[in-house]
Amino acid sequence: MAKDLHYFSSETLEGVFNELKTSKNGLTEGEAKARLKKYGYNTIADKEETNIVLEFFSHFKNPLIFVLLAAAAVSAFLGQINNFIVILIMVLASVILDFFEEHSASNAAKKLKEKVDTTATVIRQNNKIEIKASHVSLGEIIFLSSGDLVPADARIIEVDDFFVDQSSLTGESFPREKTPEIVSDENEKDNGHNNIVFLGSNVISGTALAVVFQTGQATEFGHIAKNVLRKEAKSEFEVGVNQFGFFVMKVIFALVLLIFLGNALINKEILESFIFAIAIAVGITPELLPMIMSITMARGAKKMAKVGVIVKRLSAIPNFGSMDVLCFDKTGTLTENNIQLVLYTDIFGVNDEQVFLHAFLNSAHQTGVKNPLDKAILAYKKVDIGAYKKTEEIPFDFVRKMMSIAVEGPEGRILITKGAPESVVERCGYYKQNGEIKSLSADVKNQALKYYQKISADGYRVLALAIKTNLPKKIKYESEDENEMVLTGFVLFFDPAKKDVADVLKSLRDYGIETKVITGDNELVAEKICRDLGMDIKGVLIGREIKDLTNDALAVKAEKNTIFARFSPDDKNRVIMALRARGHVVGYMGDGINDAPALRTADVGISVDNAVDIAKETADIILTQKQLKSVALGVVEGRKAFDNTMKYIRMGLSSNFGNMFSVLGAIFYLPFLPMMPIQILLNNFIYDFSQITIPSDEVDEDSVSRPRKWHINSVKKFMYIFGPISSIFDFFTFFILFSVFHLGASAFQTGWFMESLATQTLVIHIIRTKKIPFLQSRASKFLTISTILAVVIGWLIPLTPLGKLFGFSPVSYQVILAIGGLAVMYLIIVEIVKRLYYRKYEF
């Protein structure tokens, strides 16, 4: 019988080790592999690779394939064996093409994602090694430190001031301390098991060793996920595609119903009308859209990888192109991220070695994520702190904005606090000057704060130091102990602005992206750096000012301000949500624990390769280097992917839909079908072939110069204008072929097949650009070759023995010249209307 959570929290460590058949030294490589094979991968959703054969057959699930197979069955039932064979061949060819392209795109995306997979540190035969988090198995001994994601449910073995954020499971606002002590109360709720760490939580501070007792779906998080796993919010682009899908479905249903009823009433052939209507449905359905999107985004991801941008979620690429607001912290983004300590003073600006000693003790002993300020303190100079012994730690949190260390030393037991000056000063009742402790009056406090504001305005980042002497001996200290402290001084840091950032910010501005700085630092430092870099600062908003604002009021403020200073993680998240609520597509760039909520909320979450696990796991896009230049290059690729996807949609709307509208008129004008069902399917197959190279197409400079957003009304408008143009030329074709050349059914169908294929295939060269095609803007060589080849093949088929199989018959050169002339006239008219259209509308 499987042991429950209570067993692992109340059992001795020896009993847990025995139950899991492991030890503190960890598993051997052989044991780890055997357990992984037995218990499966450590994943919440079953991500085992689908067998390639099953993957191939999954492409038959497409509703259009079912419709075609139904048409094939009806043809076989009616004895139309030729139709039956041809439909089956086209279904198979379509599925193979779809499978090959999507499989290749999927493999490319998978290889890129593997570069940024979350890892876990495990103990193997007493040695620490890093493995993929998905490879963690039962009985593994895991090592956890600040910033790590907990990879599985595990029992604590030993800790050093270990705090975790398990709000994703319990909703707790503050970090929870974890200890190895056995839990004895059987009625204690799961979220109170202080000797257990859960999958889905992340380490705030300290280190720990723990033994894994549940993985994947068997974890507490896995149980929750099975029932209430939150579906990933659809991106702005995905919502647009869905809207387009519903719109197309309505149009197809209406057209097919009208064509079926009209043809059935006039020609009295119910089954033939049914197959014809099905062929029409297949002909006007943009069935390649998912494949075109997959290939376009996979190719975009490959290109982005070459410039240091790794895409974890392909659907984020079009959003990258649509992004019109980019938010980031200034540290390491606008600045060199080479923070150096430059000065340590008392509260009046006089150099004080005691201030540095206390800062060094605090940074050396704290077990949270070593931020750049801590590293700068420890790198400044070495101090012998052998006389001091750490006894306790109060970890940093974003409410207090400070952290404290209790040490035993020559001065006795003291509490050393380091943090944001405003927060630290408010906790002090005394100050220290020339070794003497004095009461902190309102006047002295104002002097200290004015000095802090002055150095901040000069661009220095500042931390305040305070101590509490004669500290009572306690096993555990709380934030309540951080009161009536002695303010000792300030530590000053400088992080110069990056040299090339001003140019990149201008480039982002030129691309139509507004940049905003959201930082925990004070507004004076942020404003100084932003001004030095030439940023257009519309306004500055301080964290405390938004506390009482409604979401609507914050949305207005968020648009009107550029710098958001002294912002907590929750504050950052509110700003991102507020901007999205105003219709902006928002990107957020961050790499710390505090950035995770905003990364999750943003349309595009951007992190860096050396970020903490929780930030990398949450982000959509990972940069190999923390620089805005990579973001600018990624935006261009995102816009190219968006534009190439829209080309396919515009192509279908401009001619494909128009041709099918023509059928409605044809059934009333002609005594026979304008095209046989099997000919429509062939036309559609060749047309689809010509489009698979769209993802390789070039994109005009003006198409990537601004954010591209999906507007369903623009899609409809495009169809309402360009669809009828195609229909008008089809009616001209009908008149010339039937009333001028007096062609019979087979020859007529051959002629319209040739005209229809030429117009709907070659129109891509017109609608792919706002410029003059071939002269000012040329398609890629692959798209040019595929479209010309498609027309040539389509026009040659009627002249070959294969043409008889499809019911074609050769037509005279006069008819071919007439068809060619109509096709050229159609392309010229579309070019003229396109120019008029873009003067008034955007797409």
Side-chain angles (χ1 to χ4, degrees):
M1 180 176 156
K3 304 294 183 183
D4 62 9
L5 185 62
H6 176 69
Y7 169 82
F8 287 106
S9 64
S10 60
E11 182 58 64
T12 63
L13 278 171
E14 184 180 357
V16 171
F17 286 144
N18 289 336
E19 174 66 25
L20 297 170
K21 295 180 176 58
T22 188
S23 72
K24 190 177 174 182
N25 294 330
L27 303 174
T28 65
E29 285 294 329
E31 286 173 333
K33 287 179 181 177
R35 293 185 183 206
L36 196 62
K37 188 174 181 181
K38 181 178 179 180
Y39 299 110
Y41 287 99
N42 178 34
T43 54
I44 294 299
D46 187 7
K47 292 185 180 177
E48 285 188 24
E49 288 188 29
T50 306
N51 179 285
I52 194 165
V53 176
L54 294 176
E55 185 184 348
F56 172 76
F57 280 108
S58 71
H59 287 262
F60 283 91
K61 291 180 181 177
N62 187 319
L64 285 172
I65 298 297
F66 285 137
V67 169
L68 286 173
L69 290 175
V74 172
S75 297
F77 177 76
L78 295 175
Q80 299 175 355
I81 302 303
N82 284 353
N83 283 8
F84 170 73
I85 293 171
V86 170
I87 292 173
L88 283 185
I89 289 172
M90 285 194 290
V91 165
L92 193 60
S94 177
V95 166
I96 289 171
L97 179 66
D98 194 34
F99 164 74
F100 177 76
E101 291 290 357
E102 287 207 19
H103 183 72
S104 300
S106 176
N107 279 345
K110 181 183 169 189
K111 285 177 183 176
L112 290 174
K113 192 174 178 182
E114 281 177 355
K115 292 183 179 181
V116 290
D117 267 351
T118 304
T119 59
T121 303
V122 300
I123 309 297
R124 292 276 168 86
Q125 296 173 289
N126 222 20
N127 294 314
K128 286 181 187 175
I129 66 166
E130 267 199 14
I131 64 171
K132 289 182 180 179
S134 59
H135 288 187
V136 170
S137 191
L138 294 190
E140 295 273 22
I141 306 300
I142 54 174
F143 175 78
L144 301 167
S145 59
S146 306
D148 286 349
L149 279 171
V150 177
D153 288 357
R155 164 72 181 272
I156 296 290
I157 299 171
E158 58 186 50
V159 299
D160 181 8
D161 292 315
F162 190 64
F163 287 78
V164 300
D165 174 2
Q166 54 187 39
S167 57
S168 59
L169 283 95
T170 65
E172 296 171 83
S173 301
F174 296 98
R176 178 179 283 273
E177 185 173 16
K178 298 290 182 176
T179 66
E181 280 75 31
I182 291 174
V183 174
S184 58
D185 183 3
E186 292 190 13
N187 296 318
E188 186 173 356
K189 291 183 180 178
D190 289 352
N191 65 9
H193 289 287
N194 288 334
N195 60 356
I196 302 290
V197 285
F198 299 101
L199 171 68
S201 56
N202 60 277
V203 183
I204 298 296
S205 64
T207 59
L209 273 183
V211 57
V212 173
F213 62 85
Q214 294 289 14
T215 60
Q217 294 184 4
T219 62
E220 291 302 301
F221 189 79
H223 292 318
I224 296 170
K226 275 189 224 175
N227 301 314
V228 295
L229 187 60
R230 184 180 64 186
K231 287 185 76 174
E232 196 173 70
K234 288 188 181 294
S235 69
E236 189 249 6
F237 184 78
E238 288 169 320
V239 169
V241 170
N242 284 347
Q243 288 176 337
F244 174 70
F246 283 119
F247 169 64
V248 167
M249 192 168 63
K250 290 175 186 175
V251 173
I252 289 173
F253 182 78
L255 271 176
V256 168
L257 187 62
L258 285 171
I259 290 168
F260 171 67
L261 292 174
N263 199 53
L265 288 171
I266 293 171
N267 297 318
K268 311 297 183 183
E269 293 287 341
I270 302 297
L271 283 174
E272 186 184 67
S273 298
F274 172 71
I275 296 175
F276 182 67
I278 287 175
I280 293 294
V282 172
I284 60 178
T285 301
E287 70 273 19
L288 284 192
L289 183 57
M291 187 179 80
I292 294 288
M293 286 173 60
S294 294
I295 301 169
T296 301
M297 290 187 284
R299 289 183 178 176
K302 281 184 180 178
K303 288 182 181 178
M304 289 162 75
K306 290 177 182 176
V307 296
V309 182
I310 307 297
V311 180
K312 280 179 60 189
R313 191 167 65 95
L314 283 181
S315 58
I317 292 179
N319 265 10
F320 216 5
S322 301
M323 181 174 70
D324 62 339
V325 176
L326 175 62
C327 304
F328 46 77
D329 192 340
K330 65 178 182 56
T331 306
T333 306
L334 300 182
T335 60
E336 292 286 356
N337 203 19
N338 182 24
I339 298 174
Q340 296 180 344
L341 189 155
V342 293
L343 198 60
Y344 40 89
T345 73
D346 66 13
I347 64 172
F348 302 107
V350 179
N351 195 66
D352 191 332
E353 289 294 330
Q354 277 290 108
V355 171
F356 180 76
L357 172 63
H358 291 147
F360 193 93
L361 282 165
N362 183 289
S363 294
H365 287 302
Q366 72 106 345
T367 59
V369 176
K370 285 284 192 290
N371 63 55
L373 301 181
D374 286 310
K375 291 175 182 176
I377 291 169
L378 297 175
Y380 183 73
K381 66 180 179 181
K382 298 300 176 188
V383 178
D384 183 7
I385 55 173
Y388 294 88
K389 180 184 177 183
K390 174 185 171 184
T391 60
E392 175 61 333
E393 175 176 351
I394 309 173
F396 179 88
D397 68 55
F398 293 96
V399 177
R400 292 164 35 251
K401 297 182 181 177
M402 64 181 77
M403 64 85 49
S404 299
I405 296 289
V407 294
E408 195 89 51
E411 305 102 314
R413 182 172 287 204
I414 61 172
L415 190 70
I416 304 171
T417 300
K418 175 181 91 233
E422 299 91 341
S423 301
V424 173
V425 170
E426 287 304 313
R427 301 266 185 144
C428 294
Y430 307 90
Y431 71 98
K432 197 173 186 180
Q433 185 180 25
N434 299 324
E436 186 180 349
I437 295 176
K438 303 176 182 178
S439 178
L440 184 64
S441 65
D443 183 49
V444 173
K445 183 189 286 188
N446 287 334
Q447 287 183 56
L449 290 174
K450 280 182 181 177
Y451 170 63
Y452 153 63
Q453 289 164 357
K454 176 184 176 297
I455 53 182
S456 292
D458 291 334
Y460 293 103
R461 296 182 68 180
V462 184
L463 289 177
L465 268 293
I467 61 172
K468 189 171 187 178
T469 56
N470 300 318
L471 199 64
K473 291 190 176 183
K474 293 166 64 175
I475 295 175
K476 182 175 177 59
Y477 293 98
E478 306 283 354
S479 59
E480 288 75 18
D481 293 301
E482 297 168 326
N483 61 16
E484 291 301 304
M485 295 187 293
V486 179
L487 183 62
T488 58
F490 301 108
V491 184
L492 284 65
F493 305 85
F494 187 66
D495 186 14
K498 283 182 177 174
K499 294 175 183 176
D500 64 338
V501 166
D503 292 336
V504 179
L505 288 172
K506 182 180 181 302
S507 175
L508 289 171
R509 236 182 355 257
D510 293 342
Y511 283 133
I513 298 173
E514 183 181 1
T515 51
K516 295 180 183 288
V517 174
I518 310 179
T519 179
D521 282 348
N522 74 66
E523 65 280 9
L524 300 172
V525 178
E527 196 168 353
K528 171 75 166 59
I529 289 171
C530 291
R531 290 200 187 283
D532 286 349
L533 291 170
M535 278 184 72
D536 180 21
I537 302 172
K538 296 193 293 187
V540 180
L541 193 63
I542 312 300
R544 63 174 179 272
E545 297 173 0
I546 74 165
K547 189 179 291 186
D548 298 322
L549 291 180
T550 64
N551 290 334
D552 289 340
L554 177 59
V556 175
K557 292 271 189 183
E559 285 190 319
K560 290 182 177 179
N561 289 279
T562 303
I563 297 172
F564 303 81
R566 307 176 196 270
F567 268 55
S568 69
D570 285 342
D571 295 337
K572 291 181 180 182
N573 204 34
R574 281 193 69 196
V575 170
I576 302 298
M577 288 192 289
L579 288 167
R580 289 190 68 191
R582 298 283 285 190
H584 295 285
V585 179
V586 184
Y588 181 80
M589 186 172 173
D591 61 0
I593 295 173
N594 58 320
D595 293 311
L599 285 167
R600 187 178 289 111
T601 301
D603 292 287
V604 186
I606 308 165
S607 194
V608 289
D609 197 25
N610 61 352
V612 297
D613 284 348
I614 183 67
K616 285 201 294 184
E617 183 67 20
T618 309
D620 303 306
I621 288 168
I622 306 290
L623 307 181
T624 54
Q625 294 180 331
K626 191 175 183 180
Q627 52 182 20
L628 283 175
K629 188 176 181 181
S630 298
V631 175
L633 294 169
V635 164
V636 172
E637 289 303 329
R639 291 181 182 177
K640 286 180 178 179
F642 183 99
D643 197 64
N644 280 336
T645 302
M646 297 310 294
K647 284 173 188 176
Y648 170 76
I649 291 171
R650 287 198 294 266
M651 186 175 179
L653 293 175
S654 59
S655 62
N656 205 12
F657 263 86
N659 287 342
M660 299 313 150
F661 279 124
S662 309
V663 174
L664 266 176
I667 60 177
F668 295 103
Y669 176 63
L670 300 170
F672 46 79
L673 292 177
M675 211 184 293
M676 297 295 289
I678 199 170
Q679 295 167 348
I680 292 173
L681 294 177
L682 177 65
N683 180 300
N684 186 62
F685 180 75
I686 297 173
Y687 166 71
D688 282 349
F689 166 78
S690 75
Q691 297 171 87
I692 61 174
T693 53
I694 286 178
S696 72
D697 192 26
E698 306 296 335
V699 175
D700 294 340
E701 191 64 36
D702 60 347
S703 293
V704 297
S705 63
R706 58 185 176 78
R708 306 299 306 276
K709 293 186 181 181
W710 184 290
H711 298 293
I712 190 64
N713 288 335
S714 296
V715 172
K716 293 177 181 178
K717 205 173 292 173
F718 198 91
M719 188 187 82
Y720 295 150
I721 291 174
F722 288 89
I725 295 174
S726 177
S727 293
I728 290 168
F729 272 85
D730 283 334
F731 291 135
F732 272 126
T733 304
F734 295 163
F735 177 76
I736 290 171
L737 296 180
F738 185 68
S739 300
V740 175
F741 287 108
H742 305 292
L743 298 181
S746 178
F748 179 95
Q749 290 159 355
T750 303
W752 191 45
F753 174 88
M754 294 169 70
E755 186 269 349
S756 170
L757 182 64
T759 54
Q760 67 183 17
T761 300
L762 296 177
V763 77
I764 183 64
H765 294 280
I766 309 297
I767 55 87
R768 60 170 290 280
T769 176
K770 293 181 181 179
K771 299 178 180 179
I772 300 173
F774 304 110
L775 298 178
Q776 295 178 329
S777 176
R778 295 182 184 178
S780 70
K781 64 179 180 181
F782 296 110
L783 181 58
T784 302
I785 291 169
S786 69
T787 50
I788 292 174
L789 190 61
V791 174
V792 169
I793 290 171
W795 282 37
L796 286 177
I797 286 175
L799 305 177
T800 67
L802 191 62
K804 291 182 181 178
L805 182 65
F806 289 95
F808 293 128
S809 58
V811 291
S812 66
Y813 74 90
Q814 291 97 333
V815 172
I816 292 175
L817 285 174
I819 291 169
L822 283 169
V824 171
M825 283 178 60
Y826 167 72
L827 297 176
I828 291 171
I829 295 297
V830 170
E831 172 64 21
I832 294 169
V833 174
K834 178 192 77 177
R835 295 192 155 273
L836 295 172
Y837 177 86
Y838 281 123
R839 284 182 188 175
K840 187 173 182 181
Y841 305 113
E842 286 294 327
F843 193 96

